[in-house]
Amino acid sequence: MAELDQTFPALDASLFRVPTVEQLQVREPSRHAPRFLMLYGSLRERSYSRLLTFEAARLLQAMGGEVRIFDPTGLPLPDGAPDTHPKVQELRELAAWSEGMVWCSPERHGAMTGIMKAQIDWIPLSVGAVRPTQGKTLAVMEVSGGSQSFNAVNQMRVLGRWMRMITIPNQSSVAKAFNEFTEDGRMKPSAFYDRVVDVMEELFKFTLLIRDVAPYLVDRYSERKESAEELSKRVNQRAI
């Protein structure tokens, strides 16, 4: 291979950072229980996405996690109400509180439900200086009434990336969900249930691994540059 020119005419060298192992080391790891927000995508009286979310929540609690489950009942459509709406505020506060999330949606018309998407759309990339989702872990799950499908989880993965979340590799897709729960709403023993356990284990591990180094992992050259340019602009405005 030809020797590369080691000059960088487009680079602001003062903002360039070389990643190091030392910056990934945590001197004082967090001791509090990992915090998880659970979202589900159906308002039906017997909602299988809600039942699956409850099963996942029980597992996270058994591992020592702190769990909050958001009830989407009463959440307005995005742009259909001001962001001061109580349900919107509740959702955003939970998103800011959490260190990891679980998104669980039914598959409807080959996609996640509008209820699921509305919840995600109400969580902005930033609220002032706070970024409710960036650097947080995410697990995705879906239920379907027919054969196993991955349309909803694939869509949620795209959204997780857009929300700058760290979506774990494993996922759960429960086919013919009406066969997988007892009358009292508990999931039956099955390979589907075993996969849910796998996913929650992986989410918990990734959250422990990432939560204390998330600010460093999501620190970006382009954003450091933007911040520097904004600061310079403000200083120059004061001087005028």
Side-chain angles (χ1 to χ4, degrees):
M1 185 179 74
E3 186 175 345
L4 297 175
D5 178 3
Q6 291 298 311
T7 62
F8 303 93
L11 184 71
D12 184 337
S14 67
L15 298 172
F16 183 63
R17 305 283 187 271
V18 177
T20 66
V21 173
E22 288 73 23
Q23 290 171 297
L24 289 168
Q25 294 174 351
V26 179
R27 294 181 180 179
E28 293 293 333
S30 297
R31 299 297 181 187
H32 64 270
R35 301 190 295 257
F36 298 99
L37 170 60
M38 323 283 286
L39 305 180
Y40 59 88
S42 171
L43 300 179
R44 290 180 177 178
E45 183 176 351
R46 185 170 172 83
S47 163
Y48 294 108
S49 64
R50 183 174 67 246
L51 295 180
L52 184 58
T53 296
F54 287 175
E55 289 292 341
R58 292 184 185 99
L59 290 166
L60 290 172
Q61 287 177 331
M63 295 174 201
E66 187 176 357
V67 175
R68 298 286 183 271
I69 302 173
F70 178 72
D71 180 356
T73 304
L75 182 72
L77 289 173
D79 303 324
D83 58 14
T84 54
H85 188 285
K87 290 297 291 188
V88 176
Q89 288 297 303
E90 178 189 355
L91 176 58
R92 291 185 173 187
E93 287 170 7
L94 288 172
W97 164 86
S98 68
E99 296 169 327
M101 294 190 195
V102 178
W103 296 350
C104 182
S105 177
E107 181 171 319
R108 183 172 296 166
H109 299 312
M112 78 181 80
T113 61
I115 295 165
M116 189 76 239
K117 184 63 163 55
Q119 293 174 80
I120 298 168
D121 284 348
W122 270 121
I123 305 173
L125 283 174
S126 63
V127 181
V130 178
R131 297 194 168 180
T133 55
Q134 180 166 286
K136 298 182 179 184
T137 54
L138 171 66
V140 293
M141 306 192 298
E142 73 168 83
V143 295
S144 58
S147 57
Q148 191 172 42
S149 176
F150 301 95
N151 291 320
V153 288
N154 287 340
Q155 285 185 323
M156 288 188 285
R157 282 188 178 279
V158 171
L159 283 171
R161 182 185 67 202
W162 184 258
M163 301 299 283
R164 298 178 176 179
M165 304 181 77
I166 299 168
T167 310
I168 66 169
N170 215 338
Q171 62 188 23
S172 169
S173 175
V174 178
K176 297 181 180 179
F178 56 86
N179 285 331
E180 299 303 323
F181 293 86
T182 63
E183 284 299 316
D184 61 355
R186 296 308 304 271
M187 198 169 184
K188 301 173 184 177
S190 68
F192 290 131
Y193 179 79
D194 294 347
R195 175 58 69 89
V196 176
V197 179
D198 289 348
V199 174
M200 292 306 106
E201 279 186 349
E202 189 170 290
L203 175 65
F204 204 98
K205 293 173 185 176
F206 268 73
T207 304
L208 291 175
L209 182 67
I210 288 167
R211 64 177 179 172
D212 289 320
V213 296
Y216 177 61
L217 291 176
V218 299
D219 180 46
R220 294 175 174 83
Y221 167 77
S222 61
E223 292 180 354
R224 292 194 297 271
K225 184 178 179 183
E226 181 182 20
S227 298
E229 289 173 348
E230 288 176 351
L231 177 61
S232 176
K233 184 178 180 181
R234 287 196 300 272
V235 170
N236 289 335
Q237 284 177 338
R238 292 194 193 102
I240 290 174

